[in-house]
Amino acid sequence: MTTALTRGRPDAEAVRTRNRTRSRTPGGLRRAVARNLRAHAFLIGALLCFALFTWYPMVREIVMSFQKVRYGETHWVGFDNFRQIFADPEFWPAWKNTFEFTGIALFFGFFAPFVTALVVNEFRHAQGYLRILVYLPVMLPPVAGILLFKYFMDPGYGLFNQILEFLHLPTSSWLTSPDTAMLSLVLVSTWANMGSATLVYLAALQSIPGELYEAAELDGAGVLRRIWHVTVPQTRLILSLMLMLQVVATMQMFTESFVLTGGGPQGSTTTVVYMLYNYAFNFDKFNTAAALGVVLLLVLGAFSAVYLWLERRGGEE
């Protein structure tokens, strides 16, 4: 009976073979292209944007790093630009400041959004308002928000020191002391950028099945144990991805240092990207700046490769 009912039906493999055969004919190819024309147009537009604004500048930067412009003429100089930046006495201190900012920023900027997402996720009636409130700093123009903090952190009349005086606590020099300038930049950067990460974490938290929390609660797990044994494992992929993205972003910090401290005091906030800016726009050494950008590209590329290797190895285990 089953054979009789299915005898007249075309086999699935035969249908796929017939469709492939039709698509190889000129008429079938035209129909396939017309059917997917809109999707191809979107893809081609995205590829052109990436090629024009991302890939071409990267290739151009690599080429410029091996060149030097003298009297309007471009000459190949090999690794001279790289030797110049490695011989610069500010090169290694700039890398030290960059790694210092990245380490402190990850401590605050990685955990603060996740904890904020955990708190917001517990609310049931005001999540929309809280999401807007958390994301509001991201919608502000970066320079405007940073200048606001520059006013708050003024050692004389700043709001933060006035609050500390009101609480009878010692005031801080904030941006004018080498001991506190980097931490001040981290606080500003965390406030300005944590909104996006918080929304990503919140979306990941809301995708966790509630049955897992109910089962953990029935087993007697408290809040911290539920977070450690349910929330963290369920969001591990998002957490690891955001970790990599935040490392790449924080190592390219520039706006906060440029607007708030100008690389000071005493060079304590001069990062690699700020040094690159000085080479290009203050010293008119665009080829040397390109060489420094290539070094930064190689460092970030090596970190990304190690991260992907560790992720792949962890997935296989």
Side-chain angles (χ1 to χ4, degrees):
M1 183 176 179
T2 304
T3 305
L5 290 174
T6 59
R7 187 176 298 165
R9 294 183 182 177
D11 183 71
E13 183 62 29
V15 172
R16 286 194 293 269
T17 303
R18 185 166 62 250
N19 290 336
R20 286 196 297 268
T21 303
R22 289 178 178 176
S23 64
R24 294 194 185 100
T25 63
L29 180 61
R30 284 195 297 269
R31 285 192 297 270
V33 171
R35 185 169 57 250
N36 300 314
L37 183 61
R38 184 176 300 177
H40 291 158
F42 280 112
L43 290 175
I44 292 173
L47 289 175
L48 289 177
C49 287
F50 273 106
L52 182 61
F53 297 107
T54 301
W55 299 329
Y56 171 74
M58 289 176 60
V59 174
R60 181 60 179 158
E61 178 188 29
I62 295 173
V63 172
M64 287 180 60
S65 67
F66 297 99
Q67 296 176 336
K68 188 76 78 174
V69 178
R70 297 191 183 97
Y71 306 107
E73 296 184 357
T74 302
H75 305 274
W76 288 91
V77 295
F79 291 94
D80 287 353
N81 293 318
F82 294 91
R83 297 189 188 98
Q84 182 178 349
I85 61 173
F86 278 103
D88 192 328
E90 295 185 359
F91 179 75
W92 295 112
W95 276 105
K96 173 182 173 297
N97 293 335
T98 300
F99 285 120
E100 180 183 354
F101 178 86
T102 300
I104 303 175
L106 282 179
F107 182 79
F108 289 99
F110 185 69
F111 293 105
F114 188 66
V115 173
T116 303
L118 289 174
V119 174
V120 173
N121 192 48
E122 294 300 318
F123 288 86
R124 292 293 178 263
H125 302 290
Q127 277 199 14
Y129 169 75
L130 292 175
R131 283 197 294 264
I132 294 176
L133 188 64
V134 169
Y135 195 71
L136 184 61
V138 182
M139 294 187 288
L140 293 176
V143 175
I146 293 172
L147 287 176
L148 181 65
F149 269 86
K150 188 174 185 179
Y151 171 78
F152 288 162
M153 292 180 174
D154 188 276
Y157 55 83
L159 177 63
F160 291 167
N161 276 350
Q162 291 183 13
I163 294 175
L164 292 175
E165 289 179 357
F166 178 77
L167 298 175
H168 301 287
L169 296 174
T171 59
S172 175
S173 299
W174 299 107
L175 301 171
T176 59
S177 172
D179 298 328
T180 58
M182 187 63 75
L183 180 60
S184 301
L185 295 187
V186 170
L187 294 177
V188 176
S189 177
T190 301
W191 174 84
N193 301 306
M194 66 177 289
S196 300
T198 300
L199 294 188
V200 172
Y201 292 142
L202 186 59
L205 292 175
Q206 293 180 347
S207 66
I208 301 176
E211 294 81 2
L212 298 178
Y213 290 107
E214 294 176 2
E217 191 172 356
L218 290 176
D219 289 339
V223 175
L224 294 179
R225 290 185 61 189
R226 290 200 297 270
I227 293 175
W228 182 252
H229 293 288
V230 177
T231 305
V232 173
Q234 291 294 316
T235 57
R236 187 187 66 84
L237 293 177
I238 295 296
L239 289 172
S240 60
L241 176 62
M242 293 299 293
L243 176 64
M244 184 192 73
L245 294 178
Q246 289 189 30
V247 169
V248 173
T250 52
M251 288 194 67
Q252 301 178 72
M253 186 274 289
F254 168 75
T255 308
E256 292 83 355
S257 178
F258 177 75
V259 176
L260 290 177
T261 62
Q266 303 175 21
S268 59
T269 59
T270 298
T271 60
V272 174
V273 178
Y274 189 85
M275 186 179 177
L276 187 154
Y277 167 83
N278 283 334
Y279 272 129
F281 299 103
N282 290 335
F283 308 145
D284 292 329
K285 297 181 178 180
F286 289 95
N287 300 102
T288 309
L292 184 56
V294 170
V295 173
L296 180 61
L297 174 66
L298 292 175
V299 171
L300 294 178
F303 167 77
S304 301
V306 171
Y307 164 82
L308 293 175
W309 178 76
L310 291 174
E311 281 293 309
R312 189 178 297 110
R313 184 177 179 184
E316 293 176 355
E317 293 178 356

